[in-house]
Amino acid sequence: MDKDPAVVLAQTAGFCPGVKKAIDQVLELAQAGKAPIYTLGPLIHNTQVIEMLKQKGIRAVDALDEIKGQAGVIVIRAHGITPSLEAEVRARGLEVIDSTCPLVKNVHSVIGKYAALGYATVIVGDKGHAEVVGLLGYAGERAFVVADSEEARRLPALDKVNIVAQTTQEEDAFLKTAETVKSRAREAVISNTICKPTRDRQRETQELAGKVDLMVIVGAKHSANTTRLTALCRRLCPRTIHIETEAEADPAAVRSARRIGITAGASTPGWMTDRVMGRIKELRKKEAVSPFHALERLIELLVDSCAYTGLSAVGLTYVCMKLQGVRVEDRLLILAGLFVFSLHLINRVAEKGVGAVESRKVELFEKHQRPLIGAAFISGLLALGLALFLGTKIFAVVFCCWILGALFPFRSLHGQAGRVDFPGSRDIVTALGWGMVCACLPALHQGIVFSKANYLAVVFAILLVFIRSVMLGISAVHSDMIVGRENFYKALGARTTYAILASIQSLLTAVLIVLLAMGWKSRLVGSLLAGNLAFAAGSSTCHFRGTPKGFWAEAAVDGQFLLLALLAWLGGRL
Ligand code: SF4
């Protein structure tokens, strides 16, 4: 719908594996309740991500002297450090986590191997860059750093030399410089240590830059690899702009371009690139507001404000009531909607700024934080009031679930996370909460708890909501949100997560087929089977064709409950 084939995003844009691994490691430490956590220098060259990490208690220090006391963890970032500094760090007595990228470690060993054989080392890279400083530590006495051929020509005459590259160098420039160095030595070994992710990114960027008339490079201005990417693009596409955030996108340049290519440096999170992409598409949209555009905006607002999620909880509660054969009661439907809306909104507001919500929502929450917090608490109070009206047992259940749900985003305060958190906790807790309010409450209210139909509805609701939550979590991970092991996909990995989702979908389908064969509530079960198969087909397509992002994807995932409710309602009418 909002697809604009004239705006192309490079597949290699964003975090490289080394940066991803380093961020995951510090987040795991934070989630395990380790504190304080220090990183030697900023973990990555991206102001927004550093700010988010700070909010998780992860602090960057420039020197060891800034660390007082012997408590806490110190993290060596992906760039690596010199062996002497590493020895100093270890002597501090703090727990040390080495997040040096394995590809940087490979350069360390290449340098160390030739240095031990008596070779001098020439590093083609940026003087003073953290990675280059680390590499120099492995090179011994005879080591030089050159940025280009011009500097290489000024080197003294060399005997045996090993020429390496900073991992993010541009390949052609490195090879050219290496040839100049070679000409100044009696014997030279050229070790092309540019890492594969960098080479892939440069190759794709070059291809893209040759096909567009505007290239947008997203990333910090002080990030060496992003700056290099910009220079590379400028040679192929003179209209290349380097921006840090979507606010810097030049409307005139964006509107006048026929075709736009977007890429990002190794330290740019996917959500920032998505944010820029969204802004560019918005700028290119026609000024006139069509009825469809207005509808799109409305749905976007409903999705972002969690109102749509509340509505989908109403849909699921209706389905659960039908499955259990209880009277459909408006008060219970409203209670479920208010409860889910309230807790999702509280969680979203609490997570604003730590990267767990998409960029467009950050804007919404920044602009309307107070009214949204007010709406979250008022709807929570209304849900509790309604529950009280429905009976003390209902109230007790709703009260306990609401308190636990509202406290969930604050579970990691004061380093307590390790004691209360577990892998996939967000998705599991969400599924249990929805199962309780959508399936258990109607049964409790009408006195059929522990009946077979009640068990069926509870399991049905929990499994469906679990799938929903995991799918949204997958989308968050693919956008480089700062999420930890509370995210099932992040905690268990892609293979296990997809295997579990496929097993749950198969189990649900099998149970519905058996019930249909037994003739149990045939019209309702037939409708649910059709809805379930449609959703399973949709989610498998997404799995094979790439995880969708944006509010339409979220609307589709939550919309399954509305679809099931509609089918259940139609099934009852036929
Ligand atoms: S740019 Fe390459 S070497 Fe550097 S951290 Fe990323 S993957 Fe590792």
Side-chain angles (χ1 to χ4, degrees), residues 221-243:
K221 297 275 162 65
H222 61 292
S223 157
N225 76 81
T226 312
T227 316
R228 201 163 288 122
L229 214 51
T230 309
L232 181 73
C233 285
R234 283 213 172 106
R235 291 206 293 274
L236 291 154
C237 176
R239 286 178 78 202
T240 292
I241 52 174
H242 176 181
I243 59 175

Side-chain angles (χ1 to χ4, degrees), residues 16-19 78 101 103-104 131 167-168 195 197-198 266:
C16 65
V19 164
C101 174
L103 300 175
V104 174
E131 182 191 319
T167 53
T168 51
C195 71
T198 296

